[in-house]
Amino acid sequence: MNELAPSTIAGIGGFLTGLAFGAVAQRTNFCAMGAISDFVLMGDGRRFRAWILAIAVAIMGTQALHFAGVLDVDKSIYLSGTLGWLGAIIGGLMFGFGMTQAGGCAGKTLIRLGGGNLKSLIVTTVLGIVAYTTLRGLIALFRVQLEDATNIDLKARGLQSQNIGELAGMAVGLNSGTARIAVAAIVAFALLLYCFRDRDFRRSPVNIIAGILIGACSVAGWLVTGVLAADDFNPVPLASVTFVSPIAESLQYLMTFTGSTVNFGIGTVGGVVAGSFLVASLTGAFHIESFADRNDLVRHLYGAALMGAGGVLALGCTIGQGITGMSTLSLGSLIAWLSILGGGYLGIKYLEEGSFGDAIRAVFARG
Amino acid sequence: MTPMANVTLDAKGLNCPLPILKAKKALKDVAVGGTLEILATDPGSVADFDGFCRTTGNELAESSQDGDVYRFVIKRLK
């Protein structure tokens, strides 16, 4: 019955997943950078908990699909046998810092674009070009050298993947399958506890709904590439929602359309902008926005460049590593996510203090 | 006529987190009981200022929209 090529199914599925993601995020104000800034600037942890809930939902859904044998999440890039720890740290810090300067992470930029923010058009373009330069262009030379010099080959140490459960199992002498299920359950439970023990979060249905639906989008992405578009002869890469490389690929796809093949990520990028645009139009939130002044433009430009290069180095963004990667319980994703949080915190402090030195001092004075 | 605020912050054209960040700073210069008016164009600022006042214990005396410009008046309570 299936006459569509697997890549086309992945592209359409990606578009629909992105459509839901964009609509939900536009409607609920879900925002990773906003989550950090709410916490740092006003001690409001509700949006941060929405992010944590999204991670918990993504872990539960993804791990359930994995252990039910519906898809093999070990085939994703997040669980490769090579741990790129330094790229995750440097790239995560760059991405986190960059998103605070550019008005939001890569995904949020697409959501803002759908809402009529033309600054986001510039951020998307610069982010995409710099990301592609880091993937395949000039900066790729440095990236490959860095990776060759620091990546750790876990397979040489007798491990199949960088799954935290597997690593924990090896440490305590449990078999890998049992350890992975145990760790998945413990982590998901701990994250849920962190969310729902907070009274403010329990009383914020919009953030609860945002967390559940954004997490579900990540699970849906795995189903699209791992089940719907699965094909023994012509497989598509197992992937789910992430934005940096897909923005780069989308720019290339637009320019070389007649000679290019669509994929899941390209579909999501278009879907997020469309979903956000639809909701913004229907709710009256659509506004054409432009740069406030020269400094505003400068901040957005280097923020976009940092996100483009950092997102490729770290193998993902606040969503790609922070939710999708985390759903696989990958050690590299955890390192990248924590680094993004650190970079974001530093970025907010930089905006607050006005200089890098003062920002660093403020971080440690607080600590 | 809306009563004049003690201090006005023009955050038009700026996006999250800058309007909140600048408002937080500007509020420090407002006497307790005084008001700070903020003008912004970021649609996200509506939810942001609502949350800001809730968590910082100040009063959001006004939240209105005139065309593309949002106007918020915060009364400093502490």
Side-chain angles (χ1 to χ4, degrees):
Chain A
M1 97 187 192
N2 216 332
E3 309 219 342
L4 290 170
S7 58
T8 311
I9 298 173
I12 296 171
F15 184 83
L16 295 175
T17 307
L19 201 67
F21 187 100
V24 169
Q26 173 65 248
R27 190 77 184 114
T28 62
N29 218 9
F30 179 88
C31 175
M33 189 271 287
I36 300 174
S37 78
D38 283 1
F39 227 134
V40 178
L41 294 177
M42 46 194 189
D44 180 352
R46 289 175 301 167
R47 279 205 285 183
F48 187 73
R49 285 186 170 81
W51 188 2
I52 299 293
L53 178 58
I55 296 173
V57 168
I59 289 176
M60 291 187 290
T62 306
Q63 297 297 322
L65 292 173
H66 179 78
F67 287 112
V70 178
L71 57 86
D72 182 5
V73 83
D74 288 4
K75 288 184 180 149
S76 73
I77 58 159
Y78 307 103
L79 290 181
S80 85
T82 310
L83 178 64
W85 63 278
L86 191 58
I89 293 174
I90 296 175
L93 288 171
M94 285 169 70
F95 187 91
F97 189 88
M99 72 180 180
T100 61
Q101 311 299 305
C105 64
K108 180 70 179 187
T109 297
L110 298 175
I111 290 154
R112 280 194 194 283
L113 180 58
N117 190 324
L118 297 182
K119 301 181 200 187
S120 301
L121 186 62
I122 305 296
V123 174
T124 307
T125 311
V126 173
L127 184 157
I129 292 171
V130 176
Y132 215 94
T133 312
T134 315
L135 275 171
R136 305 231 178 114
L138 192 58
I139 309 176
L141 299 172
F142 300 99
R143 175 180 63 82
V144 170
Q145 280 194 337
L146 175 86
E147 288 173 356
D148 284 349
T150 61
N151 281 5
I152 298 172
D153 185 359
L154 296 174
K155 291 209 163 145
R157 289 168 167 76
L159 285 156
Q160 285 309 303
S161 82
Q162 51 183 294
N163 179 289
I164 295 166
E166 190 176 333
L167 297 169
M170 193 182 188
V172 299
L174 263 178
N175 94 36
S176 147
T178 317
R180 285 179 65 159
I181 295 185
V183 167
I186 292 168
V187 171
F189 181 74
L191 295 178
L192 288 176
L193 202 63
Y194 172 75
C195 292
F196 289 102
R197 278 185 67 179
D198 184 74
R199 190 154 54 135
D200 284 346
F201 186 72
R202 286 201 305 272
R203 290 180 178 176
S204 176
V206 66
N207 282 300
I208 296 174
I209 291 167
I212 294 172
L213 294 181
I214 294 290
C217 285
S218 212
V219 181
W222 291 126
L223 283 174
V224 169
T225 59
V227 179
L228 292 180
D231 188 301
D232 289 340
F233 301 103
N234 197 5
V236 300
L238 183 64
S240 185
V241 186
T242 184
F243 291 112
V244 174
S245 292
I247 287 176
E249 289 167 6
S250 297
L251 291 183
Q252 193 211 24
Y253 183 69
L254 284 176
M255 293 183 292
T256 61
F257 181 82
T258 51
S260 291
T261 314
V262 74
N263 63 29
F264 176 82
I266 295 171
T268 54
V269 169
V272 169
V273 178
S276 165
F277 171 74
L278 281 176
V279 169
S281 306
L282 292 172
T283 57
F286 187 87
H287 271 296
I288 295 292
E289 288 182 80
S290 174
F291 289 102
D293 52 33
R294 192 195 65 144
N295 289 344
D296 198 30
L297 171 62
V298 171
R299 262 196 314 271
H300 278 78
L301 287 178
Y302 73 75
L306 284 172
M307 280 199 285
V312 171
L313 274 177
L315 296 182
C317 53
T318 49
I319 310 300
Q321 287 288 32
I323 297 177
T324 296
M326 289 291 282
S327 81
T328 69
L329 293 171
S330 142
L331 179 61
S333 298
L334 180 64
I335 297 172
W337 180 61
L338 293 174
S339 303
I340 291 172
L341 292 182
Y345 182 64
L346 189 64
I348 301 283
K349 284 285 155 198
Y350 175 75
L351 289 174
E352 212 171 20
E353 304 293 330
S355 85
F356 209 68
D358 287 342
I360 302 256
R361 270 189 289 281
V363 168
F364 287 105
R366 193 171 257 241
Chain B
M1 270 298 281
T2 16
M4 287 288 285
N6 298 105
V7 181
T8 294
L9 168 69
D10 183 359
K12 291 199 291 287
L14 298 176
N15 292 114
C16 172
L18 288 166
I20 287 286
L21 197 147
K22 286 180 184 281
K24 191 182 164 190
K25 272 189 180 166
L27 202 59
K28 286 190 183 140
D29 297 331
V30 175
V32 173
T35 52
L36 169 69
E37 176 191 51
I38 302 124
L39 302 172
T41 48
D42 184 350
S45 60
V46 180
D48 286 352
F49 279 104
D50 188 47
F52 176 76
C53 289
R54 238 179 43 88
T55 49
T56 56
N58 293 294
E59 183 192 334
L60 187 59
E62 192 188 321
S63 173
S64 59
Q65 184 179 357
D66 179 16
D68 279 355
V69 179
Y70 300 93
R71 180 171 178 269
F72 308 96
V73 177
I74 298 176
K75 186 171 179 189
R76 185 170 173 188
L77 296 182
K78 59 181 186 186

